Amino acid sequence: MRISLCSTGNKEENLESIISRSAGLGYDGIEIWQGHLQACLTADGGIERLCKLLQENSLQATVIAAATAFMTEELLLTPALDEVEQLCENARKLGGAHVRLFLDWIGSAEATEEQWMRAVHGLKAICAAAERNGIFIIMETHHGQLTDTTTATLRLLDLVDSPQLKVNLDIYNLFHLGEDPLQALEALWPHTVNVHLKNGRHAPGGKVRYGYPLQDGEMDFKPFLQRLRQLGYSGFAAIEWFGDNYWEAAESELQWLKRVGNEKKQ
């Protein structure tokens, strides 16, 4: 299992700096927030300069973390497809990164059947663009999305029925919504090509507070990580930090993952 770092939690720092510092800490890859990518595309050198920077730092671009919207209105699909086509082309140029898409912020239970079908229709077209570029579209298990439960995620995969559509398994998102992490992993494992690692705690009022280390939040990550290894997972697991002291956390989370990995090998 290789470890990457999500740039999404550090939107104020430029991507060039994040790449350099991530490599210095010993990360294998970088998950690029769409805003960071756009800034690089409009700067001198564009995508070619970004590819060179990644190569110089021996980092792999693992995911472009992006969002689009077309479930609420059919007219939104054409501009969304144009945008995603560009994302797929850039993902290919970056060496085959996955494109993580959020759709409209509508949960699986709240979405009408018409919205479900509009999402399916759009994702079929998006997956065709992904196939042309030899990359995967990955849907993240996340509240406020059609993939907010394991059951809903499997339904979406079945309806779209494309080998280009895969899962970005953010296991804590399912855990804090009440699912068993190991059961969710078993069900979604055949479709999972990227994993998000973060922890949190429920605060008064039912809201979740992030910014807790993997070893200190409310989810016990060791059984999940052990099962990932038993399944032979060879993809990337991405540290996703939403809290203070981003770089201190990036270093300590990576060190903890390496210690846990070594414990299981003994």
Side-chain angles (χ1 to χ4, degrees), residues 2 15 20 58 67 78 94 102 118 121 126 150 161 164 179 197 203-204 214 230 242 260:
R2 295 162 292 171
L15 185 58
S20 176
S58 300
T78 297
L94 287 169
F102 280 155
R118 194 171 290 144
H121 173 67
I126 286 169
T150 295
D161 191 24
Q164 304 307 125
E179 295 200 29
L197 301 177
L214 292 172
Q230 290 173 345
F242 296 118
V260 170

Side-chain angles (χ1 to χ4, degrees), residues 82-114:
D82 291 342
E83 181 181 18
V84 175
E85 183 81 44
Q86 290 298 312
L87 286 169
C88 290
E89 290 180 8
N90 285 320
R92 171 177 54 79
K93 292 176 182 177
L94 287 169
H98 307 318
V99 174
R100 191 293 315 269
L101 282 183
F102 280 155
L103 304 183
D104 307 64
W105 286 93
I106 305 172
S108 62
E110 291 74 39
T112 65
E113 194 63 16
E114 181 182 7

